[in-house]
């Protein structure tokens, strides 16, 4: 499933192909995505210039002169930049044809992705308005982490992955963050010290920054988000690893909320 780094990687890959381009047409082949693509959207977008791209959580934002497109990749979606005449394949659901002769094509076998448009502030759109802070937001700092963990008996990994508290920390990234912060995944959130809360904030940013950076270098005109962290996988410290890359101890695996967690019993307390 595309996580925050994959969506940001997609955004960075698309940006040079779409910014400043004019939309010739939006052609919807299959409107039945997670939410139905509005029937009047092609008419609204035709002729509009794309002014830039952004991201909020796992929503890719494509700004046009009169508003913003909110693109979600769902569980299995990807956006590719292709020549307009490239043959369509199964599960290609829409094409955003650009005046460059390229098309931005959305493919999604499971159709959990979505396409919305707003002419207002996208951050106030109902899908985005109530989202928790991003790991890179200034308000997501040591004091914030300290506050949200105080009364929580849940595990720290559960808190990190709770999208009502912070968005964008998927399963792999949670294990890696906890390793780097030297905290075991099963620790009760409320047991964290202030210093540990600070380490978590610093390390979650470091892990996501690295994942975005590595993902970004693999992109050219194919923009993929296949759910694998790509080259980042080769750099993992604990996730699906046998031995700790720091001390050589055997990595332990456990299941939390149905998802695997990995940790080093020596490096993490
Ligand atoms: Zn270790």
């Amino acid at each position: 499933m595309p996580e925050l780094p994959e969506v940001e990687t997609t955004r960075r890959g698309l940006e040079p192909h779409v910014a400043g381009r004019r939309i010739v047409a939006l052609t919807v082949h299959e409107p039945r995505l997670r939410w139905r693509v509005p029937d009047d959207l092609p008419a609204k977008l035709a002729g509009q210039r794309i002014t830039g791209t952004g991201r909020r959580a796992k929503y890719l934002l494509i700004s046009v002169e009169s508003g913003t497109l909110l693109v979600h990749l769902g569980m299995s979606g990807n956006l590719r930049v292709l020549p307009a005449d490239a043959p369509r394949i199964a599960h290609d659901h829409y094409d955003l044809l650009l005046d460059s002769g390229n098309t931005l094509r959305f493919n999604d076998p499971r159709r959990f992705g979505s396409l919305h448009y707003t002419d207002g502030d996208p951050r106030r759109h109902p899908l985005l308005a109530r989202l928790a802070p991003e790991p890179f937001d200034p308000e997501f700092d040591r004091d914030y982490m300290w506050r949200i963990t105080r009364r929580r008996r849940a595990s720290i990994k559960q808190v990190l992955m709770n999208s009502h508290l912070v968005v964008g920390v998927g399963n792999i990234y949670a294990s890696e963050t906890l390793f780097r912060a030297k905290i075991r995944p099963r620790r009760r959130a409320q047991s964290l010290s202030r210093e540990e809360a600070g380490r978590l904030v610093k390390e979650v940013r470091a892990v996501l920054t690295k994942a975005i950076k590595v993902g970004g270098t693999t992109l050219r005109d194919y923009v993929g988000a296949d759910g694998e962290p790509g080259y980042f996988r080769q750099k993992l410290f604990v996730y699906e690893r046998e031995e700790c890359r720091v001390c050589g101890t055997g990595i332990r695996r456990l299941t939390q909320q149905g998802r695997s967690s990995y940790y080093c019993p020596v490096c993490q307390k």
Side-chain angles (χ1 to χ4, degrees):
M1 175 158 55
E3 301 282 356
L4 186 152
E6 287 77 32
V7 178
E8 179 61 21
T9 294
T10 298
R11 187 194 72 74
R12 292 181 185 190
L14 292 181
E15 168 84 21
H17 296 281
V18 303
R21 289 290 164 199
R22 205 170 278 284
I23 296 171
V24 175
L26 168 68
T27 308
V28 180
H29 314 295
E30 172 53 89
R32 292 168 302 168
L33 303 183
R34 180 166 180 196
W35 290 283
R36 190 182 173 87
V37 178
D39 294 336
D40 61 352
L41 197 50
K44 278 186 179 159
L45 292 179
Q48 296 236 19
R49 193 173 291 284
I50 296 175
T51 54
T53 63
R55 181 188 56 74
R56 177 68 172 104
K58 292 202 268 179
Y59 286 91
L60 184 67
L61 309 180
I62 301 177
S63 316
V64 297
E65 288 161 302
S66 70
T68 310
L69 282 167
L70 280 58
V71 179
H72 200 290
L73 302 176
M75 311 278 282
S76 55
N78 68 64
L79 273 173
R80 286 164 302 157
V81 177
L82 297 167
D85 60 358
R88 272 171 55 207
I89 57 170
H91 314 299
D92 281 342
H93 302 315
Y94 63 78
D95 271 284
L96 199 63
L97 181 62
L98 305 174
D99 64 358
S100 58
N102 285 330
T103 185
L104 193 55
R105 186 168 289 172
F106 180 67
N107 185 283
D108 183 8
R110 296 180 65 184
R111 287 197 272 128
F112 278 102
S114 64
L115 181 65
H116 286 85
Y117 171 83
T118 175
D119 52 16
D121 177 355
R123 278 153 218 270
R124 289 170 190 263
H125 188 277
L127 288 169
L128 306 187
R130 281 203 285 268
L131 290 176
E134 301 260 329
F136 299 108
D137 285 348
E139 67 174 295
F140 182 74
D141 60 7
R142 186 186 69 167
D143 290 343
Y144 179 86
M145 182 58 85
W146 170 257
R147 263 198 328 273
I148 65 171
T149 51
R150 282 318 79 195
R151 288 168 170 277
R152 287 180 200 274
R153 295 162 61 86
S155 71
I156 184 57
K157 186 188 177 216
Q158 222 180 322
V159 166
L160 264 185
M161 290 185 65
N162 182 339
S163 61
H164 299 291
L165 300 173
V166 55
V167 300
V169 187
N171 193 47
I172 295 175
Y173 303 111
S175 274
E176 292 297 302
T177 296
L178 288 164
F179 174 79
R180 293 172 57 129
K182 304 185 167 67
I183 299 165
R184 291 195 187 190
R186 243 189 324 212
R187 280 265 302 276
R188 275 187 186 178
Q190 62 186 184
S191 76
L192 256 64
S193 68
R194 237 178 230 279
E195 197 226 322
E196 286 173 324
R199 285 212 302 263
L200 265 188
V201 168
K202 177 173 162 262
E203 297 302 347
V204 74
R205 287 179 178 157
V207 165
L208 292 174
T209 300
K210 202 162 146 189
I212 291 166
K213 198 171 152 204
V214 182
T217 62
T218 66
L219 287 174
R220 284 192 179 78
D221 50 7
Y222 176 84
V223 179
D226 57 5
E228 291 297 310
Y231 286 86
F232 186 68
R233 191 172 274 277
Q234 298 166 11
K235 318 233 173 200
L236 298 175
F237 279 105
V238 286
Y239 193 87
E240 288 185 347
R241 286 189 60 89
E242 301 282 316
E243 288 174 1
C244 174
R245 280 170 53 175
V246 171
C247 73
T249 305
I251 292 296
R252 305 245 173 105
R253 188 185 83 87
L254 55 92
T255 304
Q256 294 176 283
Q257 283 73 51
R259 309 291 301 275
S260 293
S261 300
Y262 296 84
Y263 70 96
C264 170
V266 173
C267 293
Q268 290 167 263
K269 307 283 181 223

